[in-house]
Amino acid sequence: MRIVSGIQPTGNLHLGNYLGAIRNWVRMQDEVAAGGGLSLYFLADLHAISQPHVPAELSANCREMVAALVACGIDPDKSVLFNQAQVPQHAELQWLLNGTARMGWLNRMTQWKDKAGKNREGQSVALFTYPVLQAADVLLYQATHVPVGEDQKQHLELARDIAQKFNNDFCPEDAPVFTLPKPTIPPEAARIMSLRDGNAKMSKSDPSDMSRINLTDDADAIMQKVKKAKTDPEPLPGDKAGLEGRPEAANLVGIYAAMAGTSVEAVLGQFGGEGFGKFKPALGELLVEQLAPINARFNELRQDQAALDAILAKGGAKARELAAPTLAATYQALGLLRG
Ligand code: TYM
């Protein structure tokens, strides 16, 4: 097994990232190490420049994100933890795959449509070709499994299409260059929604900080955000079917279940018939209890910039080494002479 996944170092790590992806990264890191496989986790800093950004903030966010990932349980001695910018092969492979990816495929990407909105002509070319870089990220390391939240599924399907077409077009049938990666999406918590709108995904780009729980929030902030979370006036139902048409209630119950490591049914078994006046404080306390140790560790780790840079330097060196054979095979398959 070869696990590869990434996160954009824009802003804070939030509960959606944690439950949708990072918690799975940690679990898979341990599983894969026990089985003799390897996991690679990276900061998608090259992706972050596809939209307007402030350079000094990007470097600061990269260091903060390494601290946050380590605080969540990513162990730089077990996983290869790095940032794309230190591994030029990502950008190189993207260029080589640009010859295989199709405009029509990229035009169908919902994230491109959402981010570009009505102003497609005004977007950077990087925002449009973003999914090709994402394909390069995983194909470069022959990833077998890619742990992500639901919103990245379409990008992973595109990576498979690119790999398949490249293998068909340029490789002998018995010697494909690329492995087709599988997305690993958690059954619960695949899509954590905003605390202000049960129909919008929890996201770092939401202008309202009240819409998300950041892993850097202290206990007061967490309790406050949960207390103010949008809900409806009805008490909680006794079963899952009763959550239908109640997106905010479904989201809060889903978060509780994911944090407690139990099912939605079990949470409703406990809280069915209760109002939010009782459920919200219980949810807030559960979040505070589980996030407090992460928060404390994060605050410790972020102080030592040199140590964070050293983690990225070590991970970058290892990633460059691991990337070399696939990149060489790609050049060769395309008939490009490299001396
Ligand atoms: P990013 O930085 O938006 O998110 C990182 C991970 O968190 C998951 N996630 C969520 N899961 C559940 N509920 C939510 N509300 C929520 N918000 C975010 C995402 O699905 C993701 O797994 N393009 C990617 C980064 C990337 C990448 C890659 C991922 C670049 N190259 C290669 C996998 C493989 C992104 O912007 O994720």
Side-chain angles (χ1 to χ4, degrees), residues 89-136:
Q89 288 104 322
H90 286 247
E92 240 179 305
L93 184 62
Q94 182 195 15
W95 180 256
L96 300 183
L97 296 179
N98 276 340
T100 296
R102 290 290 169 264
M103 295 284 286
W105 298 355
L106 296 180
N107 258 324
R108 281 197 288 277
M109 295 293 113
T110 53
Q111 198 157 305
W112 155 248
K113 291 190 223 171
D114 289 349
K115 286 193 176 166
K118 290 204 170 71
N119 183 21
R120 289 195 180 190
E121 298 296 310
Q123 301 304 322
S124 73
V125 173
L127 190 67
F128 186 65
T129 59
Y130 178 119
V132 187
L133 179 58
Q134 185 157 344

Side-chain angles (χ1 to χ4, degrees), residues 6-8 16-17 21 47 130 134 137 148-149 151-152 190 192 202:
I7 182 163
Q8 284 204 61
N17 301 131
H47 279 106
Y130 178 119
Q134 185 157 344
D137 294 337
V148 284
D151 63 340
Q152 295 302 318
I192 300 291
M202 185 178 285

Side-chain angles (χ1 to χ4, degrees), residues 165-222:
K165 181 167 166 56
F166 187 100
N167 288 342
N168 286 346
D169 289 355
F170 302 112
C171 310
E173 216 169 298
D174 56 348
V177 169
F178 297 118
T179 305
L180 268 51
K182 282 197 198 70
T184 307
I185 299 171
E188 311 266 1
R191 198 171 172 83
I192 300 291
M193 309 310 277
S194 155
L195 299 181
R196 309 300 295 165
D197 174 359
N199 293 308
K201 141 183 118 160
M202 185 178 285
S203 149
K204 5 188 181 206
S205 53
D206 193 316
S208 165
D209 196 54
M210 292 303 281
S211 70
R212 63 186 159 258
I213 307 271
N214 302 304
L215 265 68
T216 48
D217 286 344
D218 61 19
D220 284 351
I222 294 175

Side-chain angles (χ1 to χ4, degrees), residues 5-23:
S5 199
I7 182 163
Q8 284 204 61
T10 39
N12 285 324
L13 202 57
H14 58 71
L15 193 65
N17 301 131
Y18 180 65
L19 293 175
I22 314 303
R23 223 169 47 152

